[in-house]
mmCIF file of all heavy atoms in Angstrom:
data_model
loop_
_atom_site.group_PDB
_atom_site.id
_atom_site.type_symbol
_atom_site.label_atom_id
_atom_site.label_comp_id
_atom_site.label_asym_id
_atom_site.label_seq_id
_atom_site.Cartn_x
_atom_site.Cartn_y
_atom_site.Cartn_z
ATOM 1 N N ALA A 411 -59.917 -32.106 19.202
ATOM 2 C CA ALA A 411 -60.243 -33.489 19.606
ATOM 3 C C ALA A 411 -61.125 -34.140 18.578
ATOM 4 O O ALA A 411 -60.860 -35.311 18.126
ATOM 5 C CB ALA A 411 -60.943 -33.460 20.983
ATOM 6 N N HIS A 414 -59.319 -35.005 15.227
ATOM 7 C CA HIS A 414 -58.309 -36.084 15.372
ATOM 8 C C HIS A 414 -59.029 -37.406 15.575
ATOM 9 O O HIS A 414 -58.490 -38.477 15.153
ATOM 10 C CB HIS A 414 -57.342 -35.770 16.457
ATOM 11 C CG HIS A 414 -56.235 -34.776 16.042
ATOM 12 N ND1 HIS A 414 -56.303 -33.444 16.237
ATOM 13 C CD2 HIS A 414 -55.098 -34.999 15.302
ATOM 14 C CE1 HIS A 414 -55.257 -32.858 15.732
ATOM 15 N NE2 HIS A 414 -54.492 -33.785 15.156
ATOM 16 N N TYR A 415 -60.127 -37.473 16.274
ATOM 17 C CA TYR A 415 -60.876 -38.684 16.340
ATOM 18 C C TYR A 415 -61.316 -39.220 15.011
ATOM 19 O O TYR A 415 -61.299 -40.391 14.706
ATOM 20 C CB TYR A 415 -62.074 -38.614 17.350
ATOM 21 C CG TYR A 415 -61.701 -39.089 18.709
ATOM 22 C CD1 TYR A 415 -61.102 -38.218 19.637
ATOM 23 C CD2 TYR A 415 -61.848 -40.426 19.056
ATOM 24 C CE1 TYR A 415 -60.720 -38.698 20.871
ATOM 25 C CE2 TYR A 415 -61.418 -40.893 20.283
ATOM 26 C CZ TYR A 415 -60.865 -40.039 21.184
ATOM 27 O OH TYR A 415 -60.481 -40.517 22.428
ATOM 28 N N PHE A 457 -53.305 -43.027 21.666
ATOM 29 C CA PHE A 457 -54.171 -42.156 20.867
ATOM 30 C C PHE A 457 -55.282 -41.557 21.744
ATOM 31 O O PHE A 457 -55.520 -40.377 21.756
ATOM 32 C CB PHE A 457 -54.798 -42.943 19.711
ATOM 33 C CG PHE A 457 -55.950 -42.184 19.068
ATOM 34 C CD1 PHE A 457 -55.750 -41.148 18.220
ATOM 35 C CD2 PHE A 457 -57.273 -42.521 19.428
ATOM 36 C CE1 PHE A 457 -56.798 -40.418 17.726
ATOM 37 C CE2 PHE A 457 -58.337 -41.778 18.945
ATOM 38 C CZ PHE A 457 -58.087 -40.754 18.085
ATOM 39 N N ASN A 458 -55.938 -42.453 22.506
ATOM 40 C CA ASN A 458 -57.062 -42.002 23.337
ATOM 41 C C ASN A 458 -56.557 -41.075 24.492
ATOM 42 O O ASN A 458 -57.227 -40.158 24.866
ATOM 43 C CB ASN A 458 -57.836 -43.135 23.896
ATOM 44 C CG ASN A 458 -58.785 -43.768 22.872
ATOM 45 O OD1 ASN A 458 -59.712 -43.146 22.471
ATOM 46 N ND2 ASN A 458 -58.465 -44.952 22.417
ATOM 47 N N MET A 459 -55.376 -41.394 25.007
ATOM 48 C CA MET A 459 -54.866 -40.532 26.092
ATOM 49 C C MET A 459 -54.405 -39.172 25.550
ATOM 50 O O MET A 459 -54.411 -38.167 26.346
ATOM 51 C CB MET A 459 -53.720 -41.242 26.817
ATOM 52 C CG MET A 459 -54.265 -42.351 27.728
ATOM 53 S SD MET A 459 -52.995 -43.184 28.606
ATOM 54 C CE MET A 459 -52.426 -41.878 29.667
ATOM 55 N N VAL A 460 -54.036 -39.069 24.339
ATOM 56 C CA VAL A 460 -53.736 -37.762 23.756
ATOM 57 C C VAL A 460 -55.016 -36.995 23.435
ATOM 58 O O VAL A 460 -55.136 -35.844 23.841
ATOM 59 C CB VAL A 460 -52.871 -37.916 22.447
ATOM 60 C CG1 VAL A 460 -52.709 -36.548 21.746
ATOM 61 C CG2 VAL A 460 -51.503 -38.497 22.752
ATOM 62 N N PHE A 461 -55.934 -37.627 22.699
ATOM 63 C CA PHE A 461 -56.983 -36.807 22.163
ATOM 64 C C PHE A 461 -58.274 -36.800 22.988
ATOM 65 O O PHE A 461 -59.031 -35.843 22.856
ATOM 66 C CB PHE A 461 -57.280 -37.274 20.707
ATOM 67 C CG PHE A 461 -56.099 -37.052 19.824
ATOM 68 C CD1 PHE A 461 -55.321 -38.078 19.393
ATOM 69 C CD2 PHE A 461 -55.765 -35.757 19.500
ATOM 70 C CE1 PHE A 461 -54.178 -37.848 18.607
ATOM 71 C CE2 PHE A 461 -54.646 -35.496 18.693
ATOM 72 C CZ PHE A 461 -53.811 -36.512 18.258
ATOM 73 N N PHE A 462 -58.476 -37.754 23.849
ATOM 74 C CA PHE A 462 -59.757 -37.633 24.634
ATOM 75 C C PHE A 462 -59.711 -36.468 25.576
ATOM 76 O O PHE A 462 -60.654 -35.659 25.640
ATOM 77 C CB PHE A 462 -60.130 -38.922 25.394
ATOM 78 C CG PHE A 462 -61.605 -38.848 25.762
ATOM 79 C CD1 PHE A 462 -62.561 -39.220 24.855
ATOM 80 C CD2 PHE A 462 -61.959 -38.387 26.996
ATOM 81 C CE1 PHE A 462 -63.897 -39.083 25.182
ATOM 82 C CE2 PHE A 462 -63.295 -38.223 27.303
ATOM 83 C CZ PHE A 462 -64.246 -38.584 26.395
ATOM 84 N N PRO A 463 -58.576 -36.235 26.327
ATOM 85 C CA PRO A 463 -58.564 -35.056 27.265
ATOM 86 C C PRO A 463 -58.747 -33.773 26.535
ATOM 87 O O PRO A 463 -59.077 -32.763 27.145
ATOM 88 C CB PRO A 463 -57.224 -35.142 27.882
ATOM 89 C CG PRO A 463 -56.764 -36.581 27.707
ATOM 90 C CD PRO A 463 -57.352 -37.045 26.447
ATOM 91 N N MET A 464 -58.444 -33.665 25.213
ATOM 92 C CA MET A 464 -58.651 -32.444 24.509
ATOM 93 C C MET A 464 -60.096 -31.941 24.476
ATOM 94 O O MET A 464 -60.386 -30.767 24.461
ATOM 95 C CB MET A 464 -58.144 -32.532 23.078
ATOM 96 C CG MET A 464 -56.605 -32.607 23.009
ATOM 97 S SD MET A 464 -56.069 -32.510 21.331
ATOM 98 C CE MET A 464 -54.272 -32.827 21.555
#
Side-chain angles (χ1 to χ4, degrees):
Chain A
H414 280 97
Y415 263 88
F457 163 79
N458 282 293
M459 285 181 65
V460 171
F461 296 106
F462 198 83
M464 288 188 187

